[in-house]
Every structure is written in C-alpha cells, then in structure tokens.
Amino acid sequence: MGLLTILVALVAVPLVASLADRETNPPDPVVTAAPVIREAINVKANAVYPRESGAGGTRTLWVTFPDGSRAQIDYPTDLSLAALGTRPYTSGTVTVSGEAEEFRSLTAPLYGEAETAAGRPMIRRLVDDVTLWPGPLGLDGAGSVLLFAFGDWRLALQDEHTGMTFEQRLAWAKHLRGRPTPDGFLTLSADGPVRLSRPGELRDGVLVGPQLWFGGLSRRMLVLAPVPDCARLGRASVVLDPRHTIAGSTCRDGFYLAASGDPGFVRGALSQVRVRTCETTGPICTSRP
C-alpha cells in the first residue's frame, strides 16, 4: 500500500501544477502541417522524331526497333511519317519461383510521366529508375502501372486488376534494361526471370513482339512490326493505342503494317510504304536487297 501511495503522489503533483498554471500560462501554439510541395512533371511528347532524307515525292527514314533490329522506310512525302513521331512497343513475361508466368505489355505513353501520373501522387519507388503509379482513370479492369525511366524515355508496364506480386514487379524493375540509341530510339533487353517477346510472336491472335508506333497525337497512326514470315500470320492483328481503331493492315517483305486515320493516309500507308531490313547500326543503314 505504501508504494502505491507514493506512485499516486508522484503523478498527482505535476497534474495539480499543470491545472494550477492553466489560468496564467499562454496557450500552446497551434501547429499546422507544412504544405507538401511536389516536384513538377514536365509535359512533353514521349517519342522520337527521326530525321528524314530525300527530295521530290519520296522520303526515307532509318529506324531502330526495341529488339535492336533496324530498317529503312521509304514512303510518299505527303504521309509525313517523320513528323508523326514514333514510340516503341514490346511485351514479355516474368516467371518467379513458385508463381505462374505473367504476361504484360510495355508501351510508351504519349506524354510520358505526366500522362501516367494524371495529377496523382506516385505510390512508391521500386528501384532508382522504376516507379509505381495508380492505374488509368476510368479503367476498372486495369491495375497499377510500373513506369521505367531510360534516359528521356518513359516506358509503362500496365498491370491487370488482380495485379502481380511484389516479387514479380521487382523482377521486372531489376531485370529489364533500356538503352537509347545515338539517333534517339530505345532498345530493350532482359535477363533472369524476365523474357521479352520475339519478333512475330503471337498471343491469342495478336502480334506482341517488338514494334514501332508512328503517330497517336492526331487521327493518324501507323504500326510497324517485323515478322519472320508473313504467310504464317494468318488473320493476326496488332495491339494499337486504344484511342485509335485499326482501319486496315497488310504484311509484306517481313513486316506487318497496320494503319488508322483518314482514308487517304490509310490507303497510302498500306500500299506505298516500303520497309526493308538494314545491315548496320549507324544513323543511316544499308538496306538488304
């Protein structure tokens, strides 16, 4: 009983003093939270605008696909492919021990990080150059977005509603590598549990291998995809920016082409664009005969 009395007395003394001082001491200052200042996100096109050459009615471009293969593109001047800008597309799978293989696509958002953020805060940083963001607004079936920074390029991996595990996301973040080329294109490689899709690879009748997407800021859009053999594709299609609808497609000389936009552009793109594989890695390459 004596020890309890001493403890009660020790607590009571400062409490009584505090109550006595309440009338004479000034009130404690009100602490307000400092505003959170977010780093500004630059809004700019997430694309490369390759330099064209030629005169008269024909222009020529040299491009690099995400797998590092190169091609020469000859096209009518009025199609203005160089001015449309081009972005990479590819896909791949991740297989972490004890978990099923997960397939995902990799696209370059039109406005990079600004488009992915859509004014919302980042969820977290996975590694130095890979961040996690909320999924697109209004798409209930979409999950979070992994955003990769490779130089000036921003590449988005759109997850599904069920979502990958943390280990699977971390595997993508650690094992996918990107390297901008001297002329501004982006090449990709992967190792370990991550495997990138090969040229001509199909999933559910859709080409998911490396591609280049021209346009997207306007109605006009052209998709180029290298394929090993046009005859084996059957009725295959390509993934296209959801803001555009494929108006027509064709496959010749080892390249699949799909176009969207006004009838004149679609007709010219599918009938007059010629794509040939290149031999060298310079800014201007020599096309194969």
Side-chain angles (χ1 to χ4, degrees):
M1 180 64 70
L3 178 58
L4 179 58
T5 302
I6 293 173
L7 291 175
V8 171
L10 290 174
V11 173
V13 170
L15 178 61
V16 172
S18 174
L19 293 173
D21 290 344
R22 184 171 289 177
E23 297 296 328
T24 58
N25 289 345
D28 294 333
V30 177
V31 179
T32 57
V36 177
I37 301 176
R38 294 175 182 166
E39 183 179 351
I41 298 176
N42 292 327
V43 179
K44 60 180 182 179
N46 189 35
V48 59
Y49 292 84
R51 184 170 56 185
E52 63 180 8
S53 67
T58 302
R59 294 290 186 269
T60 298
L61 292 178
W62 292 271
V63 299
T64 304
F65 289 89
D67 65 340
S69 61
R70 290 179 57 76
Q72 174 181 317
I73 305 174
D74 299 305
Y75 59 95
T77 301
D78 59 1
L79 293 183
S80 303
L81 291 187
L84 292 177
T86 183
R87 299 170 286 148
Y89 165 91
T90 193
S91 66
T93 60
V94 62
T95 307
V96 177
S97 178
E99 298 174 341
E101 175 187 86
E102 291 283 349
F103 170 83
R104 296 293 185 273
S105 292
L106 293 155
T107 61
L110 278 169
Y111 294 105
E113 186 171 330
E115 181 174 326
T116 300
R120 301 164 299 172
M122 176 182 69
I123 296 175
R124 63 169 298 169
R125 186 174 298 276
L126 293 175
V127 296
D128 288 345
D129 55 359
V130 184
T131 49
L132 185 66
W133 297 82
L137 295 171
L139 294 180
D140 296 335
S144 303
V145 177
L146 273 70
L147 192 67
F148 298 78
F150 300 126
D152 291 335
W153 282 103
R154 297 297 180 268
L155 205 64
L157 186 155
Q158 176 66 62
D159 204 354
E160 297 179 355
H161 183 66
T162 52
M164 294 184 291
T165 65
F166 176 77
E167 289 74 19
Q168 290 170 330
R169 290 174 175 173
L170 197 60
W172 272 108
K174 289 184 175 180
H175 293 278
L176 178 68
R177 293 177 296 278
R179 182 180 66 84
T181 66
D183 50 347
F185 293 89
L186 179 66
T187 60
L188 299 167
S189 61
D191 61 11
V194 175
R195 183 189 69 82
L196 295 179
S197 299
R198 298 177 297 275
E201 187 167 333
L202 292 167
R203 280 196 175 246
D204 298 326
V206 176
L207 277 167
V208 295
Q211 303 167 21
L212 288 177
W213 292 2
F214 285 84
L217 293 174
S218 66
R219 288 182 60 202
R220 295 182 167 187
M221 191 168 177
L222 175 66
V223 175
L224 299 180
V227 296
D229 184 0
C230 286
R232 297 177 59 185
L233 289 182
R235 300 178 61 86
S237 62
V238 292
V239 175
L240 196 66
D241 188 306
R243 285 162 283 206
H244 297 77
T245 302
I246 295 177
S249 62
T250 188
C251 190
R252 61 174 174 268
D253 303 325
F255 289 91
Y256 184 96
L257 295 82
S260 171
D262 57 273
F265 174 80
V266 173
R267 185 167 52 250
L270 298 182
S271 65
Q272 300 181 63
V273 171
R274 293 293 181 268
V275 190
R276 293 179 286 178
T277 301
C278 290
E279 296 282 5
T280 69
T281 57
I284 297 178
C285 56
T286 303
S287 62
R288 293 177 180 172

